[in-house]
Amino acid sequence: MELHDDLILKSLGLQGIKIEYWATCDEELKLVLYARQNRNEAVCNVCANSITHVHEWKLRKIRAAPLGAYEEVWIYLKQLRGNCHICGDRVRSSKVAFTHPHFKNMTYSLCEKAGRLMEELTCEASARILRLKSKTMWDIDQYRMKQMKKHLNYAERDLDLESMSADEVHYRTIFGKKSSDKNKVQFVTNLVCTNISKVLSNAMGRKGSSLLNCLKVLRPEQLLKIKYFALDMHDAFIKVVEHACKVNHRASPHFKNVKTC
């Protein structure tokens, strides 16, 4: 493998393939790589056993992360399909290690790039930068949030929960297909601990039940620590906070300090 090919593979986070040739479109800032899996490294995507005989080379189109000045990078990959003895000599596709298991036509590096962008920008803005569909970005963001949430168990941590706040935010509008159809505006409710500047939880909608679902991430003894709760004059939210305080601050002098603003 030539040195520049090796550099391209490492820059894009690719493994187990060889670049056969590449083409660019400088006007569109697009790079296209034509590659083939390494025959001696091919393993079954089911059992990870070596594939013995070549049945065919399947052509796949995979989107990769931006590379230098090229904002859009595509890989046309010849993926090996062959016989696997462990799987009863069935014809299996070889494993492509660098594609995401839930977004199979995208590389890990692109999904991670998209995720990091969405931590700083909106899904729509990130989609424009990466030249991806906004729905794809939304799916990646939701997947990453579910994975990260496993490591953010606030119920098991000692947090400074004295000051809290909650509010709904607009995240998308579904426009009617016909002019007579009404547009559907959707919201997400966020629960924020202002002392540590962290969003502790969120839930779909902007009803009282949405805020109640957010509060479920905290244990009853953690709710006892709340002295101030900043809300707008949304009656449904106020009732939920008042109810939670009455239940959990039954003998607490802090109940009078729970305020809405």
Side-chain angles (χ1 to χ4, degrees):
M1 182 183 295
E2 296 184 13
L3 180 60
H4 68 271
D5 288 348
D6 188 36
L7 179 60
I8 290 174
L9 294 181
K10 288 185 177 181
S11 299
L12 293 174
L14 309 179
Q15 312 91 30
I17 66 173
K18 179 180 179 180
I19 298 175
E20 296 184 323
Y21 60 99
W22 48 270
T24 63
C25 179
D26 294 344
E27 291 182 356
E28 297 181 7
L29 301 178
K30 183 185 295 186
L31 169 66
V32 180
L33 303 177
Y34 298 86
R36 179 190 296 267
Q37 281 188 305
N38 295 330
R39 171 69 183 84
N40 59 344
E41 298 179 30
V43 296
C44 174
N45 68 345
V46 176
C47 68
N49 183 61
S50 298
I51 292 180
T52 54
H53 300 92
V54 177
H55 178 73
E56 65 175 341
W57 292 93
K58 176 184 176 182
L59 185 63
R60 287 185 59 184
K61 184 179 180 181
I62 302 169
R63 181 68 189 276
L67 179 64
Y70 296 105
E71 297 179 356
E72 190 173 339
V73 179
W74 290 94
I75 304 168
Y76 284 86
L77 176 67
K78 293 179 180 178
Q79 180 183 10
L80 187 147
R81 298 185 74 246
N83 301 89
C84 176
H85 289 322
I86 300 299
C87 294
D89 212 32
R90 296 182 62 179
V91 176
R92 300 288 195 189
S93 296
S94 58
K95 183 178 181 180
V96 181
F98 55 82
T99 54
H100 197 284
H102 291 272
F103 305 94
K104 298 184 182 298
N105 291 324
M106 300 174 66
T107 64
Y108 268 109
S109 56
L110 175 57
C111 290
E112 183 59 24
K113 180 75 172 181
R116 283 293 298 118
L117 274 175
M118 287 184 287
E119 290 179 13
E120 307 292 338
L121 303 172
T122 64
C123 293
E124 289 286 348
S126 301
R128 289 193 296 271
I129 292 173
L130 294 176
R131 300 185 180 184
L132 291 169
K133 294 181 179 179
S134 57
K135 179 59 167 61
T136 301
M137 299 297 287
W138 169 258
D139 291 339
I140 293 173
D141 186 54
Q142 293 302 296
Y143 171 81
R144 292 181 82 250
M145 293 303 102
K146 289 179 181 178
Q147 298 302 311
M148 294 170 66
K149 191 175 181 179
K150 298 175 183 178
H151 306 285
L152 295 175
N153 190 354
Y154 292 115
E156 303 301 325
R157 295 168 59 183
D158 184 20
L159 303 174
D160 182 3
L161 302 175
E162 181 181 71
S163 298
M164 302 286 287
S165 65
D167 201 0
E168 76 277 5
V169 294
H170 167 265
Y171 82 94
R172 71 171 178 175
T173 299
I174 301 177
F175 295 96
K177 295 182 179 180
K178 300 179 181 179
S179 58
S180 58
D181 295 338
K182 291 184 178 180
N183 296 334
K184 185 177 180 181
V185 182
Q186 296 184 331
F187 294 86
V188 170
T189 295
N190 292 317
L191 175 67
V192 179
C193 178
T194 54
N195 283 3
I196 60 174
S197 300
K198 294 288 185 182
V199 177
L200 302 189
S201 181
N202 51 44
M204 294 298 298
R206 55 173 177 174
K207 299 180 180 179
S209 57
S210 303
L211 179 55
L212 189 59
N213 287 332
C214 290
L215 289 170
K216 290 179 180 178
V217 300
L218 301 176
R219 301 191 310 271
E221 55 268 32
Q222 288 179 306
L223 291 173
L224 286 169
K225 297 180 180 180
I226 301 174
K227 296 182 180 180
Y228 303 96
F229 212 123
L231 300 166
D232 58 21
M233 299 308 293
H234 185 25
D235 289 340
F237 282 3
I238 294 173
K239 288 179 180 179
V240 167
V241 171
E242 289 178 342
H243 177 72
C245 291
K246 287 179 181 178
V247 170
N248 298 293
H249 292 70
R250 192 170 298 164
S252 172
H254 298 314
F255 174 68
K256 62 180 182 296
N257 292 328
V258 176
K259 299 179 180 180
T260 59
C261 59

